[in-house]
Amino acid sequence: MLVLALDTATPTLVAGLARRSTDGVTVVLAERAVPSGNRHAELLTVAVTDVLAAAGVTVADVDAVVTGLGPGPFTGLRVGVVTAAALADARGLPVIGVCSLDAVGSGARTVVTDARRKEVYWATYAADGARVGGPGVVRPEELSVDGPVVGDERFAERLGADVTPADVTTAGLLRAAAAQLADPSSAAPLVPLYLRRPDAVPPTSFKPVTTT
Amino acid sequence: MSIAARNEPLVLGFETSCDETGVGLVRGQTLLADALATSMAEHERFGGVVPEIASRAHLEAMVPTVHRALAEAGVQASDVDAVAVTAGPGLTGALLVGLAAAKAYALALDKPLYGVNHLAAHVAVDELQHGRLAEPSMALLVSGGHSSLLLVPDLAREVRSMGRTIDDAAGEAFDKVARVLGMPFPGGPPIDRAAREGDPTAIDFPRGLTGPRDAPYDFSFSGLKTAVARWVEARQRAGEPVPVADVAASFQEAVADVLTAKAVRACRDAGIDHLVLGGGVAANSRLRALAEERCAAAGIVLRVPSPRLCTDNGAMVAALGSRLVEAGIPPSAPDVGADSSLPIEVVTR
Ligand SMILES: [Zn+2]
């Protein structure tokens, strides 16, 4: 089956196309990793068009869509999730959401990505790739890491550990979605992993316009 | 539906500039569907729209709202000929959900995409009810997010700003005065209701920017809002009861007076005899009545969409998209983005 994979949980958007055989073997046909900062909404569908063209297929050939659900900065994250939902809906395809951190690196590791506000998103994985901790959001100083760390290397100093640079990949997204791709009816609804509440505080009292 | 009508393009429109998730379907100038989800109830306790809450709600509502629109219109997604979406102005995070969704539908259906101006769409929606717009027309758009007076020589190609608010939008003034009077958010409907029992001449609230040297078509509602609050607070401090109905009626009269006087003056000065009202505040009963009265006296044809189409919705975006398709305007580039302060002169980008 031909799978379109998307992720906008980090400042580098990912769009990839992979062929997955019935025995689970995955071949990535085309991939774009675009450093797009906060321009995900502008560049994501352009990247999708590019990977379709690079693989010599059309959107009508796609059989399933996989998307990262974050955690990631909210505005950018939603771009990938809603794009995946809408593409899949328009073509009547299954859409599968995965934790974006699952698609960074492989094997036993702790993944850290930038959560802004001096915090990181994190998750920890066992040697077989199973997530055993997280996803969470924390100040790097408060994260006790044991074993290799991959992801955003800018946090090495504050973590007190080496960080091997790694990003979300198409292969990683497909690996994280393997079980649901084998049985698309098991895919859960697409709910982003926000991990933080919206910043909004109900006013307790309204101050008068006039001061006496 | 006639055979001719069936040959007209079917346009799918997305609107997510504020708290309403709107998906509309229009064929030519015929409204087929206007599906709406709103997160208004979630913002109530904050006394205003919280952008992040609105954006989360847009994402949740998007695909279900598309399904409702398609079902209402009795069409398939594959029948769609073009996709239109609000590209601004509005809340950035909210705009981006609609923009990304619209781009994805356009890509998946292999149809052109038009990123359009929300304000021009407020004008276009009237064509679904009252037929082709007279061009040039004047348009007065008033809501919680905007207060603008527009000159519309050609809705598909040329829209000009005549005037705008220099501080609060008219709808914001309604929300703030409602709060002062202990009414719920949004403030428009409760003030309209209370004002029916009140005397609009009871209190002479200020008419902003109506002096001889003031910008003739710009608006200001901040001073009015403050004047109402001062008046009410003075009463409260004196331990006197606040005549809520009179305050509401007098405030509403001040807003409607300024808006309609300036709109009619703009029409006269520019020699234009058609005025279109739009935006949520255009649902206000006193604004509608006073606009009718003054337009009739000035020989201006007034066009006001039904209240449901005055507030933000997807049909208005589809209506403008349909106009652009008909006019042969080129679609937006694939990397079109959202612009929270998209200038009114940009009908499509
Ligand atoms: Zn509006």
Side-chain angles (χ1 to χ4, degrees):
Chain A
M1 83 198 302
L2 191 61
V3 182
L4 176 67
L6 310 175
D7 187 85
T8 58
T10 72
T12 299
L13 75 79
V14 175
L17 204 58
R19 180 86 60 192
R20 185 180 186 278
S21 64
T22 43
D23 56 5
V25 176
T26 294
V27 180
V28 176
L29 305 178
E31 181 171 45
R32 293 286 182 276
V34 186
S36 40
N38 58 4
R39 298 177 65 223
H40 291 329
E42 289 162 54
L43 302 177
L44 180 58
T45 43
V46 177
V48 171
T49 305
D50 284 354
V51 294
L52 291 168
V57 299
T58 74
V59 68
D61 298 320
V62 174
D63 299 303
V65 181
V66 172
T67 184
L69 294 174
F74 307 154
T75 300
L77 174 60
R78 274 188 290 265
V79 168
V81 177
V82 80
T83 298
L87 269 169
D89 179 55
R91 301 225 57 89
L93 304 176
V95 55
I96 292 151
V98 300
C99 174
S100 298
L101 301 173
D102 293 3
V104 180
S106 62
R109 68 204 188 277
T110 294
V111 177
V112 293
T113 62
D114 189 358
R116 300 180 184 169
R117 303 183 200 176
K118 299 182 176 167
E119 293 185 314
V120 289
Y121 294 120
W122 69 276
T124 301
Y125 299 84
D128 66 355
R131 186 171 357 110
V132 292
V137 57
V138 70
R139 291 175 59 81
E141 293 81 1
E142 291 161 20
L143 185 64
S144 57
V145 288
D146 176 24
V149 185
V150 305
D152 193 330
E153 73 271 28
R154 291 172 304 163
F155 292 100
E157 198 182 320
R158 293 178 57 211
L159 283 162
D162 287 337
V163 179
T164 306
D167 293 303
V168 174
T169 63
T170 300
L173 289 166
L174 266 91
R175 191 188 57 225
Q180 299 172 83
L181 283 167
D183 176 17
S185 68
S186 69
L190 295 187
V191 179
L193 295 161
Y194 289 118
L195 306 190
R196 283 180 182 139
R197 291 175 190 283
D199 281 328
V201 184
T204 46
S205 68
F206 294 105
K207 68 174 196 292
V209 175
T210 51
T211 47
T212 45
Chain B
M1 193 187 299
S2 71
I3 289 167
R6 209 172 297 140
N7 290 335
E8 291 179 300
L10 178 67
V11 181
L12 175 64
F14 292 87
E15 156 59 34
T16 63
S17 67
C18 194
D19 63 300
E20 321 271 5
T21 310
V23 179
L25 278 156
V26 164
R27 194 187 287 284
Q29 288 188 336
T30 307
L31 173 62
L32 300 185
D34 171 24
L36 203 63
T38 177
S39 55
M40 184 51 85
E42 296 173 62
H43 305 288
E44 237 172 77
R45 67 197 180 101
F46 300 102
V49 173
V50 179
E52 176 61 22
I53 292 176
S55 301
R56 290 185 182 192
H58 285 311
L59 174 57
E60 275 178 47
M62 185 53 66
V63 170
T65 309
V66 170
H67 287 188
R68 280 201 285 126
L70 292 169
E72 199 178 314
V75 300
Q76 309 285 319
S78 54
D79 298 331
V80 168
D81 296 304
V83 179
V85 58
T86 299
L91 304 169
T92 300
L95 288 168
L96 289 176
V97 177
L99 179 72
K103 282 185 160 187
Y105 278 104
L107 171 66
L109 301 171
D110 194 22
K111 298 299 175 192
L113 174 84
Y114 292 85
V116 308
N117 192 301
H118 177 84
L119 297 179
H122 268 304
V123 181
V125 76
D126 188 61
E127 297 199 329
L128 302 179
Q129 280 191 314
H130 301 121
R132 181 48 55 101
L133 196 72
E135 290 172 329
S137 271
M138 199 65 72
L140 174 64
L141 305 180
V142 272
S143 74
H146 29 81
S147 301
S148 297
L149 199 49
L150 309 179
L151 175 63
V152 187
D154 179 344
L155 186 52
R157 294 181 185 83
E158 190 184 5
V159 176
R160 283 186 241 152
S161 175
M162 294 287 286
R164 54 189 288 190
T165 180
I166 61 165
D167 40 53
D168 295 350
E172 280 179 274
F174 273 88
D175 293 339
K176 287 170 185 169
V177 166
R179 185 190 295 169
V180 165
L181 294 175
M183 295 170 176
F185 170 86
I191 286 184
D192 199 347
R193 261 193 309 278
R196 279 174 214 157
E197 312 296 321
D199 174 4
T201 63
I203 310 151
D204 189 19
F205 286 130
R207 269 62 169 163
L209 289 185
T210 51
R213 294 207 193 106
D214 289 331
Y217 314 126
D218 281 345
F219 306 108
S220 166
F221 297 105
S222 174
L224 170 61
K225 166 198 79 188
T226 307
V228 174
R230 278 181 202 281
W231 195 94
V232 170
E233 283 160 19
R235 278 289 178 117
Q236 287 166 335
R237 264 200 308 277
E240 294 168 32
V242 176
V244 170
D246 285 348
V247 173
S250 300
F251 158 75
Q252 181 174 279
E253 190 65 19
V255 174
D257 180 22
V258 172
L259 288 172
T260 54
K262 291 197 176 221
V264 167
R265 177 168 173 190
C267 287
R268 276 197 178 136
D269 292 353
I272 288 172
D273 60 0
H274 281 76
L275 175 65
V276 183
L277 286 195
V281 178
N284 180 272
S285 64
R286 181 57 187 152
L287 178 64
R288 292 168 92 100
L290 195 56
E292 266 164 39
E293 193 183 301
R294 289 182 169 170
C295 283
I300 297 165
V301 178
L302 177 68
R303 295 176 38 148
V304 193
S306 64
R308 163 79 194 225
L309 291 182
C310 279
T311 50
D312 293 349
N313 61 77
M316 67 191 229
V317 180
L320 180 54
S322 179
R323 247 312 191 99
L324 296 168
V325 171
E326 186 201 297
I329 306 291
S332 299
D335 65 348
V336 63
D339 181 351
S340 61
S341 52
L342 186 66
I344 181 53
E345 290 77 15
V346 182
V347 177
T348 183
R349 66 195 309 236

